[in-house]
mmCIF file of all heavy atoms in Angstrom:
data_model
loop_
_atom_site.group_PDB
_atom_site.id
_atom_site.type_symbol
_atom_site.label_atom_id
_atom_site.label_comp_id
_atom_site.label_asym_id
_atom_site.label_seq_id
_atom_site.Cartn_x
_atom_site.Cartn_y
_atom_site.Cartn_z
ATOM 1 N N ILE A 450 5.989 -1.324 -3.023
ATOM 2 C CA ILE A 450 5.683 0.053 -2.563
ATOM 3 C C ILE A 450 6.860 0.639 -1.691
ATOM 4 O O ILE A 450 7.187 1.837 -1.808
ATOM 5 C CB ILE A 450 4.374 0.085 -1.786
ATOM 6 C CG1 ILE A 450 3.196 -0.212 -2.708
ATOM 7 C CG2 ILE A 450 4.224 1.366 -1.041
ATOM 8 C CD1 ILE A 450 2.848 0.887 -3.691
ATOM 9 N N ALA A 451 7.468 -0.236 -0.952
ATOM 10 C CA ALA A 451 8.514 0.212 -0.018
ATOM 11 C C ALA A 451 9.939 0.139 -0.673
ATOM 12 O O ALA A 451 10.887 0.512 0.014
ATOM 13 C CB ALA A 451 8.525 -0.633 1.307
ATOM 14 N N SER A 452 9.987 -0.250 -1.957
ATOM 15 C CA SER A 452 11.322 -0.542 -2.567
ATOM 16 C C SER A 452 12.212 0.719 -2.607
ATOM 17 O O SER A 452 13.459 0.549 -2.768
ATOM 18 C CB SER A 452 11.128 -1.111 -3.900
ATOM 19 O OG SER A 452 10.465 -0.190 -4.765
ATOM 20 N N LYS A 453 11.687 1.895 -2.532
ATOM 21 C CA LYS A 453 12.496 3.102 -2.660
ATOM 22 C C LYS A 453 12.633 3.898 -1.288
ATOM 23 O O LYS A 453 12.894 5.078 -1.193
ATOM 24 C CB LYS A 453 11.993 4.086 -3.710
ATOM 25 C CG LYS A 453 12.164 3.501 -5.098
ATOM 26 C CD LYS A 453 11.782 4.483 -6.207
ATOM 27 C CE LYS A 453 12.016 3.871 -7.575
ATOM 28 N NZ LYS A 453 11.688 4.885 -8.720
ATOM 29 N N GLY A 454 12.272 3.120 -0.218
ATOM 30 C CA GLY A 454 12.526 3.677 1.103
ATOM 31 C C GLY A 454 11.469 4.590 1.683
ATOM 32 O O GLY A 454 11.739 5.334 2.597
ATOM 33 N N TRP A 455 10.255 4.479 1.175
ATOM 34 C CA TRP A 455 9.172 5.350 1.720
ATOM 35 C C TRP A 455 8.996 5.088 3.222
ATOM 36 O O TRP A 455 8.772 4.051 3.704
ATOM 37 C CB TRP A 455 7.887 5.041 0.947
ATOM 38 C CG TRP A 455 6.723 5.897 1.332
ATOM 39 C CD1 TRP A 455 6.724 7.178 1.781
ATOM 40 C CD2 TRP A 455 5.324 5.562 1.225
ATOM 41 N NE1 TRP A 455 5.500 7.644 1.969
ATOM 42 C CE2 TRP A 455 4.543 6.718 1.593
ATOM 43 C CE3 TRP A 455 4.611 4.455 0.833
ATOM 44 C CZ2 TRP A 455 3.205 6.755 1.688
ATOM 45 C CZ3 TRP A 455 3.255 4.509 0.828
ATOM 46 C CH2 TRP A 455 2.547 5.594 1.219
ATOM 47 N N LYS A 456 9.103 6.237 3.948
ATOM 48 C CA LYS A 456 9.125 6.128 5.444
ATOM 49 C C LYS A 456 7.812 5.642 6.018
ATOM 50 O O LYS A 456 7.740 5.115 7.094
ATOM 51 C CB LYS A 456 9.450 7.524 6.016
ATOM 52 C CG LYS A 456 10.901 7.972 5.814
ATOM 53 C CD LYS A 456 11.254 9.200 6.593
ATOM 54 C CE LYS A 456 10.495 10.423 6.046
ATOM 55 N NZ LYS A 456 10.919 11.636 6.705
ATOM 56 N N LEU A 457 6.710 5.934 5.228
ATOM 57 C CA LEU A 457 5.367 5.570 5.743
ATOM 58 C C LEU A 457 4.833 4.298 5.149
ATOM 59 O O LEU A 457 3.591 4.065 5.230
ATOM 60 C CB LEU A 457 4.413 6.687 5.503
ATOM 61 C CG LEU A 457 4.761 8.040 6.237
ATOM 62 C CD1 LEU A 457 3.819 9.163 5.805
ATOM 63 C CD2 LEU A 457 4.787 7.841 7.720
ATOM 64 N N ALA A 458 5.676 3.488 4.520
ATOM 65 C CA ALA A 458 5.195 2.272 3.818
ATOM 66 C C ALA A 458 4.547 1.283 4.854
ATOM 67 O O ALA A 458 3.593 0.628 4.463
ATOM 68 C CB ALA A 458 6.343 1.611 3.149
ATOM 69 N N ASP A 459 5.108 1.171 5.982
ATOM 70 C CA ASP A 459 4.525 0.269 7.007
ATOM 71 C C ASP A 459 3.086 0.696 7.442
ATOM 72 O O ASP A 459 2.129 -0.126 7.507
ATOM 73 C CB ASP A 459 5.400 0.242 8.281
ATOM 74 C CG ASP A 459 6.622 -0.578 8.057
ATOM 75 O OD1 ASP A 459 6.510 -1.787 7.693
ATOM 76 O OD2 ASP A 459 7.715 -0.045 8.253
ATOM 77 N N ASP A 460 2.899 2.000 7.519
ATOM 78 C CA ASP A 460 1.577 2.519 7.826
ATOM 79 C C ASP A 460 0.643 2.288 6.649
ATOM 80 O O ASP A 460 -0.537 1.891 6.865
ATOM 81 C CB ASP A 460 1.664 4.017 8.120
ATOM 82 C CG ASP A 460 0.367 4.662 8.549
ATOM 83 O OD1 ASP A 460 -0.249 4.124 9.530
ATOM 84 O OD2 ASP A 460 -0.104 5.635 7.978
ATOM 85 N N TRP A 461 1.106 2.502 5.450
ATOM 86 C CA TRP A 461 0.245 2.224 4.246
ATOM 87 C C TRP A 461 -0.158 0.792 4.119
ATOM 88 O O TRP A 461 -1.262 0.470 3.888
ATOM 89 C CB TRP A 461 1.104 2.597 2.962
ATOM 90 C CG TRP A 461 0.304 2.294 1.741
ATOM 91 C CD1 TRP A 461 -0.658 3.015 1.131
ATOM 92 C CD2 TRP A 461 0.391 1.065 0.960
ATOM 93 N NE1 TRP A 461 -1.198 2.299 0.005
ATOM 94 C CE2 TRP A 461 -0.549 1.135 -0.137
ATOM 95 C CE3 TRP A 461 1.212 -0.111 1.155
ATOM 96 C CZ2 TRP A 461 -0.655 0.099 -1.032
ATOM 97 C CZ3 TRP A 461 1.013 -1.127 0.209
ATOM 98 C CH2 TRP A 461 0.067 -1.015 -0.845
ATOM 99 N N LYS A 462 0.760 -0.129 4.499
ATOM 100 C CA LYS A 462 0.458 -1.552 4.486
ATOM 101 C C LYS A 462 -0.739 -1.860 5.332
ATOM 102 O O LYS A 462 -1.585 -2.655 4.965
ATOM 103 C CB LYS A 462 1.647 -2.347 4.937
ATOM 104 C CG LYS A 462 1.443 -3.893 4.957
ATOM 105 C CD LYS A 462 2.732 -4.529 5.400
ATOM 106 C CE LYS A 462 2.476 -6.066 5.578
ATOM 107 N NZ LYS A 462 3.696 -6.775 5.999
ATOM 108 N N LYS A 463 -0.795 -1.297 6.543
ATOM 109 C CA LYS A 463 -1.891 -1.556 7.461
ATOM 110 C C LYS A 463 -3.186 -0.943 6.875
ATOM 111 O O LYS A 463 -4.293 -1.494 7.102
ATOM 112 C CB LYS A 463 -1.558 -0.940 8.836
ATOM 113 C CG LYS A 463 -0.355 -1.515 9.493
ATOM 114 C CD LYS A 463 -0.004 -0.785 10.835
ATOM 115 C CE LYS A 463 1.232 -1.309 11.455
ATOM 116 N NZ LYS A 463 1.616 -0.576 12.662
ATOM 117 N N LYS A 464 -3.078 0.223 6.201
ATOM 118 C CA LYS A 464 -4.350 0.845 5.751
ATOM 119 C C LYS A 464 -4.933 0.208 4.492
ATOM 120 O O LYS A 464 -6.096 0.129 4.295
ATOM 121 C CB LYS A 464 -4.064 2.302 5.468
ATOM 122 C CG LYS A 464 -3.811 3.176 6.705
ATOM 123 C CD LYS A 464 -3.496 4.620 6.329
ATOM 124 C CE LYS A 464 -3.307 5.419 7.551
ATOM 125 N NZ LYS A 464 -3.003 6.877 7.251
ATOM 126 N N ALA A 465 -4.075 -0.462 3.714
ATOM 127 C CA ALA A 465 -4.452 -1.113 2.424
ATOM 128 C C ALA A 465 -4.862 -2.545 2.797
ATOM 129 O O ALA A 465 -4.231 -3.501 2.412
ATOM 130 C CB ALA A 465 -3.326 -1.072 1.432
ATOM 131 N N ASN A 466 -5.917 -2.600 3.634
ATOM 132 C CA ASN A 466 -6.225 -3.853 4.340
ATOM 133 C C ASN A 466 -7.390 -4.624 3.724
ATOM 134 O O ASN A 466 -8.119 -5.395 4.390
ATOM 135 C CB ASN A 466 -6.478 -3.613 5.782
ATOM 136 C CG ASN A 466 -7.673 -2.696 6.005
ATOM 137 O OD1 ASN A 466 -8.246 -2.202 5.030
ATOM 138 N ND2 ASN A 466 -8.025 -2.470 7.232
ATOM 139 N N GLY A 467 -7.536 -4.550 2.423
ATOM 140 C CA GLY A 467 -8.502 -5.283 1.713
ATOM 141 C C GLY A 467 -8.043 -5.778 0.383
ATOM 142 O O GLY A 467 -6.835 -5.559 0.023
ATOM 143 N N ILE A 468 -8.870 -6.531 -0.338
ATOM 144 C CA ILE A 468 -8.412 -6.958 -1.663
ATOM 145 C C ILE A 468 -8.941 -5.974 -2.759
ATOM 146 O O ILE A 468 -9.813 -5.181 -2.501
ATOM 147 C CB ILE A 468 -8.901 -8.385 -1.995
ATOM 148 C CG1 ILE A 468 -10.386 -8.496 -1.991
ATOM 149 C CG2 ILE A 468 -8.316 -9.370 -0.966
ATOM 150 C CD1 ILE A 468 -10.929 -9.859 -2.511
ATOM 151 N N ALA A 469 -8.391 -6.097 -3.969
ATOM 152 C CA ALA A 469 -8.681 -5.131 -4.997
ATOM 153 C C ALA A 469 -10.052 -5.340 -5.626
ATOM 154 O O ALA A 469 -10.551 -6.357 -5.656
ATOM 155 C CB ALA A 469 -7.629 -5.220 -6.055
ATOM 156 N N PRO A 470 -10.656 -4.219 -6.161
ATOM 157 C CA PRO A 470 -11.803 -4.409 -7.033
ATOM 158 C C PRO A 470 -11.277 -4.988 -8.375
ATOM 159 O O PRO A 470 -10.026 -5.147 -8.545
ATOM 160 C CB PRO A 470 -12.230 -2.935 -7.229
ATOM 161 C CG PRO A 470 -10.999 -2.119 -7.001
ATOM 162 C CD PRO A 470 -10.270 -2.823 -5.987
ATOM 163 N N THR A 471 -12.132 -5.310 -9.206
ATOM 164 C CA THR A 471 -11.814 -5.949 -10.494
ATOM 165 C C THR A 471 -10.826 -5.014 -11.359
ATOM 166 O O THR A 471 -11.114 -3.903 -11.630
ATOM 167 C CB THR A 471 -13.008 -6.285 -11.351
ATOM 168 O OG1 THR A 471 -13.898 -7.076 -10.573
ATOM 169 C CG2 THR A 471 -12.655 -7.029 -12.627
ATOM 170 N N ILE A 472 -9.692 -5.634 -11.713
ATOM 171 C CA ILE A 472 -8.813 -4.979 -12.653
ATOM 172 C C ILE A 472 -9.422 -5.027 -14.000
ATOM 173 O O ILE A 472 -9.827 -6.061 -14.480
ATOM 174 C CB ILE A 472 -7.396 -5.618 -12.643
ATOM 175 C CG1 ILE A 472 -6.764 -5.720 -11.263
ATOM 176 C CG2 ILE A 472 -6.535 -4.992 -13.707
ATOM 177 C CD1 ILE A 472 -6.373 -4.339 -10.763
ATOM 178 N N VAL A 473 -9.513 -3.859 -14.719
ATOM 179 C CA VAL A 473 -10.148 -3.832 -16.028
ATOM 180 C C VAL A 473 -9.112 -3.389 -17.027
ATOM 181 O O VAL A 473 -8.350 -2.440 -16.835
ATOM 182 C CB VAL A 473 -11.363 -2.888 -16.008
ATOM 183 C CG1 VAL A 473 -12.544 -3.411 -15.163
ATOM 184 C CG2 VAL A 473 -11.002 -1.502 -15.561
ATOM 185 N N GLY A 474 -9.067 -4.124 -18.218
ATOM 186 C CA GLY A 474 -8.190 -3.740 -19.183
ATOM 187 C C GLY A 474 -8.816 -2.844 -20.292
ATOM 188 O O GLY A 474 -8.271 -1.948 -20.789
#
């Protein structure tokens, strides 16, 4: 997510603080 220099990536990391629901194909 931070690979292109997003200034708020650190903040996003803290907010995305759970695991994913089931990935469905």
Side-chain angles (χ1 to χ4, degrees):
I450 290 291
S452 62
K453 293 187 177 181
W455 184 26
K456 292 186 294 186
L457 298 177
D459 285 304
D460 184 53
W461 174 84
K462 178 181 178 181
K463 296 175 184 176
K464 291 179 177 177
N466 61 356
I468 64 174
T471 303
I472 302 293
V473 292

